[in-house]
Amino acid sequence: MIWYGLLVAGVAAERVAELVVARRNERWSTARGATETGQGHYPAMVALHTGLLAACPAEVWLGDRPFVPALAWPMLAVLACAQALRWWCIHTLGPRWNTRVIVVPGLPLVTRGPYRWRWLRHPNYVAVVAEGLALPLVHTAWITATVFTVLNAALLTVRIRCENRALAAAATPTTPTTTAPA
């Protein structure tokens, strides 16, 4: 159980590193006229992800969940791949990546790295979904995996719609409000 607590603490430390990067990127974006949307769902997202990190060891401890190597090792591999994908996304988006929906108007969509596939528009959320399943299941915390996955699906529905609207609005050229005389 101690090693699992250390694993969850490592994921939590990774989240703190993400927040540091996000704050720096927020300053970069704001300096370039960025706007933030979706502030209403952001606290729910923070609460859900914090809840995941708290619920994983709590369920293992309170539910006396066994360590099942046949499940643990594949889930650990999925977790490692999810972290690699997440940081690939962060690196690819550079200063445009954020935990919030902050878009600099006029910048084209990123079409390289994991964003080059048109059928996978939000690869970072693939990493989030994979992590939400894998982290709890490394130590058979199946209730946490199920509850997080269901709640995260609802939240991602809102988040992705919000993000798609913000990206579309930022890419659309603004129409002048007045016209010059003919």
Side-chain angles (χ1 to χ4, degrees), residues 42-61:
Y42 189 74
M45 190 173 76
V46 170
L48 182 61
H49 285 256
T50 302
L52 172 68
L53 296 172
C56 284
E59 182 180 347
V60 169
W61 183 61

Side-chain angles (χ1 to χ4, degrees), residues 8-182:
V8 173
V11 171
E14 186 274 334
R15 284 293 203 284
V16 170
E18 283 182 24
L19 291 174
V20 169
V21 171
R23 304 267 166 151
R24 182 188 68 219
N25 292 349
E26 182 178 357
R27 289 189 299 273
W28 181 90
S29 297
T30 303
R32 285 155 182 79
T35 55
E36 179 180 357
T37 58
Q39 298 95 322
H41 73 265
Y42 189 74
M45 190 173 76
V46 170
L48 182 61
H49 285 256
T50 302
L52 172 68
L53 296 172
C56 284
E59 182 180 347
V60 169
W61 183 61
L62 296 172
D64 196 27
R65 299 288 187 242
F67 176 78
V68 178
L71 178 62
W73 298 121
M75 290 300 104
L76 196 57
V78 169
L79 181 64
C81 289
Q83 297 305 321
L85 177 57
R86 171 178 284 118
W87 283 98
W88 187 20
C89 292
I90 292 169
H91 175 74
T92 300
L93 290 176
R96 294 166 63 175
W97 179 85
N98 211 295
T99 57
R100 297 175 177 271
V101 179
I102 300 175
V103 180
V104 178
L107 292 181
L109 289 177
V110 173
T111 57
R112 64 186 195 294
Y115 295 91
R116 70 178 167 262
W117 301 295
R118 294 243 184 254
W119 52 269
L120 184 62
R121 294 198 49 186
H122 299 280
N124 189 62
Y125 299 138
V126 171
V128 170
V129 169
E131 180 185 78
L133 279 169
L135 181 61
L137 292 178
V138 166
H139 211 303
T140 64
W142 61 271
I143 294 172
T144 300
T146 302
V147 170
F148 178 84
T149 298
V150 169
L151 294 176
N152 191 49
L155 183 60
L156 280 179
T157 299
V158 172
R159 173 69 174 217
I160 289 171
R161 284 182 188 149
C162 173
E163 196 169 291
N164 285 343
R165 280 191 306 268
L167 289 170
T172 304
T174 57
T175 305
T177 55
T178 60
T179 55

